[in-house]
Amino acid sequence: MANRSIQNALSDTAIKTAKPTNKAYTMPDGNGLQLLIKPNGKKSWEVRFTIDGKTTKTSIGTYPTVKLKEARDKRDQYKELAYQGINPLEAKREAKRQKESEQKGQFHLIVKEWSDSLACKDITRKKIYRMFERDVFPYFCKYDDKHEIISSQHIASIKHNELLKVITNKKHTAAETAKRIYQESQRLWLYAIAHDYTETLITAKIDKSVLPKPEVKHMPKISDEETLKELLKKIEEYKGNIITRYLLKFVTLIPLRAENLCLLRWEQVDLEKGTLTIARADMKQKDKNLPDFNVLLPHQAIDLLKEVHNLTGWGQWVFHGLRNMHNHINKETANKALRLMGFTDEGAKRKQTLHSFRGTFRSLVETHRQKHNKPFEVMERCLDHHEKNAVARAYSHEADYSEQMGELFQWWSDYLNNMKTKDQS
């Protein structure tokens, strides 16, 4: 046990009244504790301890930030550790490292670090982080009165049954979200393992049978020809913004994914050759072995794009924003227009969204397959659908369907044109 006898003990009054001199001097408190008074008036606590026959002096703070009693308590702690053969400075550094490690490994900080590292679009990263923030953080985080996170559980201390509780609770109110929590947690924990935050993949201990079964739900679309004819007529008569009307007319001819349609750039269009080319990196299926999405446009689409070019050809985007012409149009602009036209009743099979035009195209070209005589593969490639099986893709990825795709799009455009003009003839 360390010698705790105190000689020449200081008092608060003696410390407060101690005046600086031209040279630094010390005031001993006993048992290795002393107060160093510097010429500038600064008063610092120093402790001496001996370990392995070597005496070391170190500072333990300044007065009055560290009061006399606190200095004595620290002195006793240092002397006790030294008596046990433990270097107090090493113990202090280890405690600091441990605290930093615990803070760094806090769950909410790991989620932020991981989500920021994801190789995906900003909007996707934000959605993932928001899901954790809304549905997972409350189980593992502490909040202040303003609902700001104070701290959170270290990710290494979280058990699989705790995460399972999060998933099963969410399963009762939002089954698909519960499934996503499991999937994203799997990725999160793999990241945490790779960066030495934890050693255990707790998602591996969760029985997947507890996860909600996927519900197969087809996107609503118009496939009835009379209803489609009405939709085409409403688009032609649409009195809203002309850019929105042009976009809707174009997607009826070339049913691109909403993202590719809204982000369509003039550099992707060759009006002289009548082609549309979207780089593979910009498509949903980003397999580098697959060719770019390249189609020969039907003459109706070319004529339409020439009209659009007179309005937006000065800029980057084929369909620019309504409020900000230097940005692309928002897909919800088109969806809102479709709602205003009255195509919202899913039960009556009259609901249509920007994405629905893909389903409309695929359903009707299948229905009239004998008329255009194009194989399954061509109909699928028009929507940039590819083999899901990697082995099958390896054999088919170099097949060139662009000419047949152009023929099918021309048939489709003629089919729509005949539908619009049928009653006029």
Side-chain angles (χ1 to χ4, degrees):
M1 185 65 64
N3 181 6
R4 296 181 182 278
S5 63
I6 298 179
Q7 300 172 350
N8 302 319
L10 293 172
S11 66
D12 283 318
T13 301
I15 296 171
K16 289 177 182 177
T17 57
K19 303 297 183 183
T21 63
N22 292 333
K23 292 184 178 181
Y25 68 97
T26 59
M27 298 174 63
D29 185 62
N31 202 22
L33 177 65
Q34 63 185 26
L35 185 69
L36 173 66
I37 302 173
K38 296 182 179 181
N40 62 5
K42 184 177 181 182
K43 301 173 181 179
S44 302
W45 292 109
E46 295 181 335
V47 147
R48 292 177 182 272
F49 61 88
T50 301
I51 187 166
D52 296 331
K54 181 181 178 181
T55 300
T56 302
K57 180 177 69 175
T58 185
S59 174
I60 57 172
T62 60
Y63 182 90
T65 303
V66 177
K67 301 289 192 295
L68 176 58
K69 184 180 183 306
E70 294 176 85
R72 287 171 175 167
D73 289 342
K74 284 190 177 184
R75 180 264 318 274
D76 290 345
Q77 293 169 11
Y78 275 45
K79 302 288 277 188
E80 185 68 38
L81 287 170
Y83 179 80
Q84 297 174 17
I86 301 172
N87 189 322
L89 299 181
E90 287 296 331
K92 184 179 179 181
R93 283 192 286 267
E94 180 57 32
K96 183 180 179 182
R97 283 195 294 267
Q98 182 67 25
K99 184 177 181 181
E100 289 176 348
S101 176
E102 289 176 357
Q103 290 177 337
K104 192 176 181 182
Q106 289 183 86
F107 182 71
H108 73 288
L109 298 179
I110 302 303
V111 172
K112 184 65 168 66
E113 180 182 315
W114 162 72
S115 61
D116 285 346
S117 74
L118 293 175
C120 58
K121 295 179 180 176
D122 286 342
I123 189 171
T124 303
R125 278 193 291 271
K126 289 176 182 176
K127 283 182 179 178
I128 293 173
Y129 183 79
R130 176 60 185 140
M131 180 186 71
F132 276 91
E133 189 177 47
R134 181 188 64 238
D135 300 318
V136 187
F137 282 3
Y139 290 85
F140 304 117
C141 298
K142 291 182 180 179
Y143 300 85
D144 61 17
D145 294 339
K146 296 180 180 179
H147 203 65
E148 297 288 340
I149 296 176
I150 301 172
S151 64
S152 64
Q153 198 170 330
H154 194 291
I155 192 168
S157 70
I158 297 175
K159 308 299 182 186
H160 76 277
N161 58 332
E162 293 178 291
L163 181 60
L164 178 60
K165 180 181 178 181
V166 178
I167 295 170
T168 51
N169 286 350
K170 196 63 184 179
K171 178 181 176 180
H172 298 308
T173 57
E176 282 304 310
T177 301
K179 185 177 179 181
R180 284 198 299 273
I181 290 173
Y182 171 82
Q183 292 169 338
E184 297 303 340
S185 293
Q186 175 100 343
R187 297 170 66 192
L188 170 64
W189 255 266
L190 286 171
Y191 175 89
I193 291 171
H195 290 77
D196 294 326
Y197 293 121
T198 185
E199 296 180 353
T200 307
L201 181 62
I202 64 172
T203 51
K205 298 182 179 181
I206 296 178
D207 184 358
K208 290 185 179 180
S209 65
V210 305
L211 299 176
K213 299 294 183 292
E215 180 182 353
V216 178
K217 184 178 180 180
H218 298 292
M219 293 288 291
K221 61 181 180 295
I222 291 174
S223 55
D224 173 71
E225 294 189 356
E226 284 303 312
T227 308
L228 178 58
K229 182 178 177 180
E230 180 186 348
L231 172 60
L232 296 175
K233 186 172 185 294
K234 288 287 182 69
I235 291 174
E236 287 287 350
E237 297 173 348
Y238 180 64
K239 302 300 182 184
N241 189 279
I242 190 172
I243 300 298
T244 305
R245 176 156 57 88
Y246 274 129
L247 180 140
L248 289 172
K249 290 177 69 173
F250 184 77
V251 76
T252 62
L253 303 174
I254 309 296
L256 297 173
R257 290 186 176 89
E259 181 180 351
N260 294 123
L261 179 67
C262 294
L263 271 68
L264 194 63
R265 303 186 301 274
W266 281 115
E267 65 183 32
Q268 298 168 321
V269 178
D270 190 324
L271 291 175
E272 291 186 8
K273 294 181 179 179
T275 59
L276 169 64
T277 303
I278 302 177
R280 178 50 49 193
D282 293 329
M283 300 300 289
K284 182 178 180 180
Q285 173 58 270
K286 301 184 185 302
D287 187 338
K288 294 179 181 179
N289 294 313
L290 295 174
D292 294 338
F293 182 74
N294 182 44
V295 296
L296 297 172
L297 295 169
H299 68 80
Q300 292 93 334
I302 297 172
D303 292 341
L304 179 66
L305 287 174
K306 286 180 178 179
E307 292 181 31
V308 179
H309 193 268
N310 291 329
L311 296 175
T312 69
W314 56 267
Q316 176 184 7
W317 310 104
V318 175
F319 305 105
H320 62 56
L322 307 192
R323 293 183 180 179
N324 182 0
M325 293 190 295
H326 296 283
N327 200 357
H328 61 81
I329 195 169
N330 190 304
K331 69 176 182 179
E332 289 308 316
T333 301
N335 288 331
K336 181 180 179 180
L338 291 166
R339 290 194 295 270
L340 291 173
M341 293 177 200
F343 295 95
T344 58
D345 192 342
E346 185 173 354
K349 297 183 178 181
R350 286 179 54 85
K351 183 173 182 178
Q352 190 81 345
T353 65
L354 200 56
H355 183 82
S356 301
F357 286 96
R358 295 171 62 78
T360 298
F361 167 82
R362 189 64 183 85
S363 294
L364 289 172
V365 294
E366 184 68 45
T367 299
H368 298 287
R369 189 169 180 175
Q370 290 184 338
K371 295 180 181 178
H372 57 71
N373 200 31
K374 290 293 180 287
F376 171 85
E377 290 78 10
V378 173
M379 293 186 287
E380 287 292 279
R381 289 297 176 87
C382 282
L383 299 176
D384 198 49
H385 288 168
H386 298 268
E387 287 281 357
K388 292 184 178 180
N389 184 283
V391 176
R393 280 205 310 272
Y395 286 96
S396 64
H397 74 278
E398 292 185 353
D400 185 3
Y401 294 100
S402 57
E403 185 174 343
Q404 294 186 71
M405 288 164 60
E407 292 173 354
L408 181 55
F409 277 131
Q410 187 59 65
W411 177 89
W412 172 249
S413 297
D414 291 341
Y415 165 79
L416 295 178
N417 191 59
N418 291 335
M419 182 183 297
K420 289 188 291 185
T421 59
K422 186 178 295 183
D423 290 345
Q424 300 175 8
S425 58

